[in-house]
Amino acid sequence: DNGNEIDAERFRRDPGCFLPAILRNHLGHDEDNKKAGRARDSWEARIAAMAKGTPANLHLPAWLYWDYEAKQPKLDDHNAPIVRKMFALVLEGLGCQTIARKLHEAGERLIITGKRKNGTPRSRKSRPGEPYTLTLSQPYVWRTLQNKLCIGYGVYTEPPKPGVYPAVVTEEVFFAVQKLLEHNQYQTV
């Protein structure tokens, strides 16, 4: 970086020529440790706040978004009804694969927002102007149906704290679905 070249001849003439490189490495290591410590402290503060019931602006699921003016999470008007529909279809007796297929055939897609996407239109030539979307798959449906964030629990703390995030479904619906999913797990063809 600084044009300092060290070879055997230079080292014989100037034995201290390598010291700037070692000092820069040492300084870089210290900066790395400082940054890691700050990140760790930040996460510990977020988790402690969540344990007290304060929501954190983390990577939220598709049915939630962070309202920066109100400084709190809110339900997404487009994605929350799709998640509710997943729960309703389970209560009708459908499995995750069938739910994913039905939602796909109906053209239901979750619009992805967040720090990297923000619902911005795609720049790819194949879909110009279309927002980032997520096609619902069987594993995604299963993970969503199992996620306690659906009923507002702060799942990043142990035990999960209820009422931290807005609920997309009621606890009665959520736990009824859990019972059905548990029963489906033991069925065989």
Side-chain angles (χ1 to χ4, degrees):
D1 279 352
N2 62 5
N4 188 12
E5 294 182 25
I6 302 172
D7 56 12
E9 180 58 35
R10 170 114 189 258
F11 192 69
R12 275 191 216 98
R13 281 184 291 122
D14 182 15
C17 64
F18 68 94
L19 288 176
I22 289 178
L23 292 174
R24 285 182 67 193
N25 286 342
H26 183 69
L27 183 62
H29 182 69
D30 283 347
E31 289 296 320
D32 188 46
N33 284 341
K34 249 191 259 181
K35 189 182 282 186
R38 287 179 184 148
R40 183 178 49 254
D41 294 344
S42 172
W43 272 103
E44 287 172 0
R46 289 177 190 180
I47 290 171
M50 255 189 286
K52 294 176 185 173
T54 304
N57 183 9
L58 302 170
H59 181 73
L60 297 173
W63 61 89
L64 293 174
Y65 72 95
W66 189 262
D67 185 344
Y68 287 96
E69 291 177 11
K71 295 183 179 177
Q72 64 183 6
K74 296 203 174 169
L75 288 174
D76 185 279
D77 293 334
H78 176 268
N79 295 341
I82 296 171
V83 174
R84 286 188 194 107
K85 189 183 280 188
M86 286 183 209
F87 280 89
L89 291 171
V90 171
L91 293 175
E92 290 177 14
L94 301 179
C96 294
Q97 182 68 43
T98 308
I99 293 170
R101 191 177 321 112
K102 273 185 160 300
L103 293 172
H104 178 72
E105 289 168 356
E108 300 282 8
R109 295 192 192 297
L110 298 175
I111 295 177
I112 304 301
T113 58
K115 293 179 181 176
R116 294 188 181 104
K117 303 284 188 269
N118 292 325
T120 53
R122 295 174 189 256
S123 59
R124 296 188 312 173
K125 293 179 184 176
S126 62
R127 298 182 193 163
E130 181 183 313
Y132 285 93
T133 60
L134 175 67
T135 302
L136 300 167
S137 63
Q138 182 268 334
Y140 184 84
V141 170
W142 186 83
R143 282 193 317 269
T144 300
L145 294 171
Q146 300 270 325
N147 195 339
K148 281 194 168 183
L149 273 168
C150 289
I151 53 174
Y153 278 60
V155 296
Y156 304 102
T157 62
E158 197 55 49
K161 176 96 172 150
V164 176
Y165 294 97
V168 71
V169 294
T170 64
E171 286 193 16
E172 292 80 20
V173 169
F174 181 82
F175 288 113
V177 165
Q178 300 315 301
K179 196 155 200 72
L180 289 171
L181 292 176
E182 186 179 310
H183 172 71
N184 287 350
Q185 190 174 12
Y186 299 109
Q187 291 183 352
T188 57
V189 176

